Amino acid sequence: MRAWINGRLLSDPTAPAVPVTDHGLTVGDAVFEAVKVVDGQPFALQRHLDRLERSAEGLGLVGLHLDDVRRGVGAVLAEEHLPLGRLRITVTGGNAPLGSGRGTDPLTVIVVASPMAAAPETTSVITVPWPRNERAALAGLKTTSYAENVVALAAAQRAGATEAVFANLAGHLCEGTGTNVFYVIDGEVRTPTLASGCLAGVTRALVVEWFGAREVDEPIEVAAGADEIFLASTTRDVQGVHRWDDRDLPAPGPVTRAAAAVWREREPGLIGFDR
């Protein structure tokens, strides 16, 4: 693992580097991005940086400079060639008084790079009883306030699954803890709209653009009973679902396989620091 913080590459990425009063640590006042690394280069970096900027603006973090982030990305990837890896870019509110109020110090910008194992072709998911609030202040923003996801993912792991799926307050399918959900009914690929409160995933957007899907909000039970289901995320790409709660599905199904094939074909065009 390699780590860069506020312009400085750390000699020991596990050494203490952020003050105990950093607002990202004390109250989760931070945004982040996870970027796939392929053959030492980032995938869809500009799209991730654009979303990082949108999330920072939505959270009210002022002073983010994407050129600084790019320098951090270049610094950590130059230290070690990663055939397959993950970048974690985190921007916090910086040093601040204890409590919810922000201070006046600059933002803290962190870039970390580490190896990543390829995801299995298929996986299992469970539905959790806690709804996403599609009207929440943070809906659709990629913030580090992930405790709800931690609880849901722990429940999934106890059930032998790798992902937990949420409905929203309307009872419609929303998203997983770190994935967007696609499902197939009578040959039609569907996925929730952004109004559902789901994250505007970079992989989600590319699947819609490259392969096609109808964006629609409907009860989570419709998706759970679909002919095929697949997840999309930075660390999973297109991953079939072979089990949802107690229901087994043939996976990957023909539509899922076709979506994964298109992904593999188109992915190289977005690998590189200028993509």
Side-chain angles (χ1 to χ4, degrees), residues 58-122:
L59 198 58
L61 297 177
V62 178
L64 173 62
H65 300 290
L66 295 184
D67 286 344
D68 292 340
V69 180
R70 283 185 172 276
R71 280 191 287 272
V73 170
V76 295
L77 291 183
E79 286 293 297
E80 179 182 3
H81 181 81
L82 296 174
L84 182 63
R86 169 170 41 189
L87 288 166
R88 164 77 182 224
I89 303 168
T90 307
V91 179
T92 85
N95 190 47
L98 298 179
S100 297
R102 290 194 174 110
T104 58
D105 283 10
L107 304 178
T108 300
V109 182
I110 304 167
V111 183
V112 178
S114 65
M116 179 177 72
E121 188 177 37
T122 69

